Amino acid sequence: MTKIVLACVGNASRSQMATAYAERERDRRGLDVELVTGGTDPKESISEDALEVLEEDGLDVDGRTPRRITTEDVIDAEFVVTMGCSAAEFVPEDWDGEVRIWSLESDETREQRDEIERRVTALFDDLERTA
């Protein structure tokens, strides 16, 4: 099984969108992938904008709650994907996985959603190539 950690600052928008698309890709491809999401400074709830743009694409994350990402989440992960936060805040010094930093070009939620979807698809393409 491959474990992927998806993190941002608030765990209220970008990492939640990435997790929703990753869940969809995992299920579509039938891959054995564990997904963990969290933030370095989690918000109280998921952003209404994120809920709306995901719903437009048939994805429902309503009812999920942002959570803090921890070192324990990362210890057995192969990949950590960050969006706006530093992996150094929660990745153990001796961890030997791969960190991918997704610097998103836009501040507009729909554009972020579309870019995140493309990047998640590319990540899962990489997983399939190495499986």
Side-chain angles (χ1 to χ4, degrees):
M1 177 191 319
T2 300
K3 183 175 179 181
I4 302 170
V5 175
L6 301 149
C8 68
V9 175
N11 192 223
S13 188
R14 295 166 293 183
S15 58
Q16 291 288 348
M17 288 191 284
T19 301
Y21 283 107
E23 289 168 341
R24 186 173 77 180
E25 284 300 310
R26 174 192 63 199
D27 295 347
R28 280 182 176 171
R29 298 173 191 233
L31 297 176
D32 189 13
V33 174
E34 178 184 357
L35 301 165
V36 177
T37 188
T40 56
D41 186 19
K43 302 287 185 192
E44 292 289 322
S45 61
I46 297 177
S47 141
E48 289 297 321
D49 288 346
L51 290 171
E52 181 181 322
V53 300
L54 286 172
E55 187 175 285
E56 290 171 2
D57 210 9
L59 298 170
D60 182 11
V61 297
D62 195 24
R64 296 186 187 185
T65 304
R67 62 179 288 277
R68 181 168 304 282
I69 195 74
T70 67
T71 300
E72 290 75 29
D73 291 326
V74 177
I75 290 171
D76 58 346
E78 284 78 17
F79 296 94
V80 168
V81 176
T82 64
M83 293 158 272
C85 65
S86 170
E89 295 181 58
F90 55 88
V91 172
E93 287 183 28
D94 61 345
W95 182 70
D96 64 351
E98 180 181 337
V99 174
R100 294 191 181 194
I101 300 167
W102 291 356
S103 299
L104 303 178
E105 300 295 320
S106 175
D107 290 331
E108 202 278 321
T109 308
R110 278 181 186 80
E111 290 175 9
Q112 285 184 348
R113 174 201 61 195
D114 295 344
E115 186 174 348
I116 287 168
E117 181 183 16
R118 284 189 297 274
R119 289 175 182 242
V120 166
T121 299
L123 173 61
F124 275 77
D125 288 346
D126 289 349
L127 289 177
E128 279 190 323
R129 274 193 289 278
T130 61

